């Protein structure tokens, strides 16, 4: 379950600079959670990534433009209504302001704004796997979900991640490989992994955070004890065994979110949709290449959303900031 730990007072001071009417907020990335390849002493130099979930994007941006007009690129001149529409109609439906210095805290932040309804869609349906994927990994919850509906969606997102990971894993694997497969759901297919990102990024995320992953996924894994043998051991090299019978594979397929299932049906029918969804999933569960079928469909979702959101981020950041941000990412990769 996603819950707050001991939150640094710095986050509350940062949040006090923004309009208070948001429903959920979390921080993520190497500036928040330790990753291999980053010196702990230099962790503060990494940009802190924040996501604000708001019920009314128009109202929030109008208020934020009044408080922090310098955070916005030239798009800010068009006003809060334009920004909200730009946010909610393009890409993964997130609007980012990047490379924002907070001198009093000696940090630089990037923050994204997403409407509650759009976050709910991604968490429950995996429409883009953009924020749902980030929330597959341990994050710093700064403000807990304001509604039970959102909290339930956050938990269902974690359950779906386990079902998807088990579908792409072999019969035997280690605990580390399980969490790596979960983390990789939103990286496989991301065009940014071709350049500008460390190719070992997924390993570097999982390795130092094994205990956090265990805490995050323990409830779901316990519920799957009927089809998954996960030894209780502190070592991440202990072998786990999953049931890969056709019945269990179909069980996992039926617990995937709506969008991956639609992609699977579309691909298997070549877009004709002439068969019942359950019949198609049953056929996939009996096939020898079901792992590739699932992987390919997930990659296609991530590819499309990552490309569209990255293009969308250029005007929202502005050309100069986009170049600076991309260059910094590239340098960080080369210096690993």
């Amino acid at each position: 379950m996603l819950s707050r730990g001991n939150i640094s007072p710095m986050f509350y001071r940062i949040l006090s600079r923004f309009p208070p009417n948001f429903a959920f907020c979390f921080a993520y990335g190497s500036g928040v959670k330790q990753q291999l390849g980053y010196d702990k002493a230099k962790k503060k130099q990494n940009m802190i990534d924040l996501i604000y979930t708001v019920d009314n994007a128009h109202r929030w941006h109008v208020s934020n433009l009044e408080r922090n007009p310098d955070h916005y690129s030239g798009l800010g001149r068009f006003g809060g209504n334009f920004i909200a529409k730009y946010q909610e109609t393009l890409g993964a439906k997130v609007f980012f302001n990047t490379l924002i210095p907070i001198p009093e805290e000696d940090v630089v932040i990037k923050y994204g704004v997403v409407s509650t309804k759009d976050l709910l869609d991604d968490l429950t349906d995996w429409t883009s796997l953009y924020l749902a994927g980030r929330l597959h990994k341990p994050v710093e919850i700064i403000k807990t979900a304001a509604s039970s509906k959102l909290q339930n969606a956050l938990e269902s997102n974690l359950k779906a991640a386990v079902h998807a990971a088990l579908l792409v894993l072999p019969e035997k694997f280690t605990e580390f490989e399980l969490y790596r497969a979960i983390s990789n759901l939103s990286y496989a297919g991301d065009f940014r992994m071709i350049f500008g990102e460390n190719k070992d990024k997924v390993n570097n995320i999982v390795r130092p955070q094994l205990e956090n992953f265990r805490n995050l996924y323990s409830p779901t894994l316990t519920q799957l004890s009927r089809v998954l043998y996960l030894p209780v051991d502190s070592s991440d090299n202990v072998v786990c065994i999953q049931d890969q019978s056709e019945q269990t594979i179909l069980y996992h397929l039926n617990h995937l979110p709506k969008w991956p299932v639609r992609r699977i049906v579309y691909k298997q029918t070549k877009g004709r949709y002439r068969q019942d969804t359950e019949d198609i999933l049953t056929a996939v569960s009996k096939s020898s290449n079901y792992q590739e079928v699932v992987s390919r469909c997930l990659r296609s979702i991530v590819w499309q959303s990552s490309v569209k959101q990255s293009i969308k981020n250029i005007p929202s950041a502005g050309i100069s900031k986009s170049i600076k941000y991309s260059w910094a990412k590239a340098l960080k990769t080369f210096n690993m």
Side-chain angles (χ1 to χ4, degrees):
M1 176 183 288
L2 289 165
S3 59
R4 287 194 298 182
N6 296 320
I7 306 300
S8 167
M10 176 191 69
F11 285 115
Y12 296 117
R13 292 194 296 268
I14 292 175
L15 261 59
S16 69
R17 296 168 168 267
F18 294 91
N21 52 326
F22 50 90
F24 176 58
C25 180
F26 68 93
Y28 65 97
S30 58
V32 179
K33 295 292 185 181
Q34 181 63 30
Q35 295 182 21
L36 294 182
Y38 295 99
D39 187 339
K40 285 186 178 181
K42 295 180 180 179
K43 182 179 175 184
K44 195 174 183 180
Q45 297 177 10
N46 296 322
M47 186 162 57
I48 293 174
D49 298 277
L50 294 161
I51 296 292
Y52 294 102
T53 304
V54 301
D55 292 333
N56 188 313
H58 172 222
R59 186 183 306 149
W60 197 89
H61 283 295
V62 167
S63 181
N64 197 41
L65 278 163
E66 293 175 355
R67 290 185 180 219
N68 303 298
D70 55 319
H71 289 190
Y72 291 80
S73 67
L75 294 182
R77 292 195 296 267
F78 296 101
N81 189 48
F82 176 87
I83 297 294
K85 288 183 178 178
Y86 188 80
Q87 171 191 309
E88 295 181 334
T89 57
L90 299 173
K93 301 185 178 180
V94 187
F95 185 92
F96 281 102
N97 285 324
T98 190
L99 294 176
I100 307 299
I102 310 293
E104 293 81 358
E105 305 295 340
D106 192 25
V107 297
V108 174
I109 69 171
K110 177 181 76 175
Y111 64 93
V113 184
V114 63
S115 295
T116 304
K117 60 182 177 60
D118 293 325
L119 178 59
L120 283 169
D121 284 345
D122 198 26
L123 290 172
T124 57
D125 296 341
W126 286 8
T127 50
S128 70
L129 264 174
Y130 195 82
L131 294 182
R134 281 159 174 75
L135 287 160
H136 287 162
K137 298 170 275 291
V139 298
E140 200 74 63
I141 303 297
I142 301 173
K143 180 176 180 179
T144 54
S147 69
S148 58
K149 187 175 182 180
L150 184 52
Q151 184 61 46
N152 290 338
L154 289 163
E155 293 174 12
S156 71
N157 179 49
L158 297 179
K159 293 176 182 177
V162 174
H163 288 293
L166 291 175
L167 282 167
V168 301
L169 283 166
E171 180 184 12
K172 297 180 180 180
F173 49 88
T174 65
E175 186 186 17
F176 170 77
E177 288 170 335
L178 170 62
Y179 299 137
R180 183 177 63 187
I182 289 172
S183 298
N184 199 48
L185 295 174
S186 57
Y187 281 117
D190 190 332
F191 92 101
R192 293 170 300 176
M193 295 300 291
I194 300 173
F195 62 92
E197 284 287 7
N198 179 12
K199 299 302 182 288
D200 291 324
K201 186 177 182 69
V202 177
N203 289 345
N204 293 346
I205 288 171
V206 177
R207 185 67 69 183
Q209 294 196 73
L210 275 170
E211 193 59 37
N212 289 333
F213 273 97
R214 288 183 184 123
N215 294 335
L216 193 60
Y217 285 98
S218 176
T220 298
L221 295 174
T222 299
Q223 293 173 8
L224 290 173
S225 59
R226 181 176 59 83
V227 296
L228 173 65
Y229 172 65
L230 187 65
V232 180
D233 196 295
S234 58
S235 171
D236 62 297
N237 292 317
V238 173
V239 175
C240 310
I241 304 173
Q242 66 164 320
D243 177 12
Q244 287 189 312
S245 65
E246 292 174 5
Q247 181 182 10
T248 299
I249 294 167
L250 181 59
Y251 169 72
H252 291 314
L253 288 169
N254 278 318
H255 282 81
L256 290 178
K258 182 166 64 177
W259 213 249
V261 170
R262 282 185 176 179
R263 289 294 179 100
I264 290 172
V265 171
Y266 183 85
K267 293 291 185 181
Q268 295 303 108
T269 62
K270 296 181 170 55
R272 292 190 293 270
Y273 290 107
R274 291 180 180 174
Q275 291 175 269
D276 180 75
T277 295
E278 188 64 20
D279 291 339
I280 294 168
L281 294 183
T282 299
V284 171
S285 71
K286 297 175 182 293
S287 68
S288 59
N289 70 330
Y290 73 89
Q291 292 167 316
E292 178 54 30
V293 170
V294 173
S295 296
R296 187 170 61 243
C297 289
L298 293 173
R299 288 197 301 268
S300 68
I301 294 172
V302 174
W303 173 265
Q304 289 190 19
S305 66
S306 66
V307 170
K308 291 177 181 178
Q309 184 65 38
S310 294
I311 294 171
K312 173 184 177 178
N313 288 346
I314 295 173
S316 61
I319 299 298
S320 61
K321 280 190 177 182
S322 295
I323 294 172
K324 185 177 180 180
Y325 177 71
S326 300
W327 180 247
K329 293 280 282 186
L331 285 178
K332 189 162 62 174
T333 301
F334 295 143
N335 291 331
M336 287 284 181

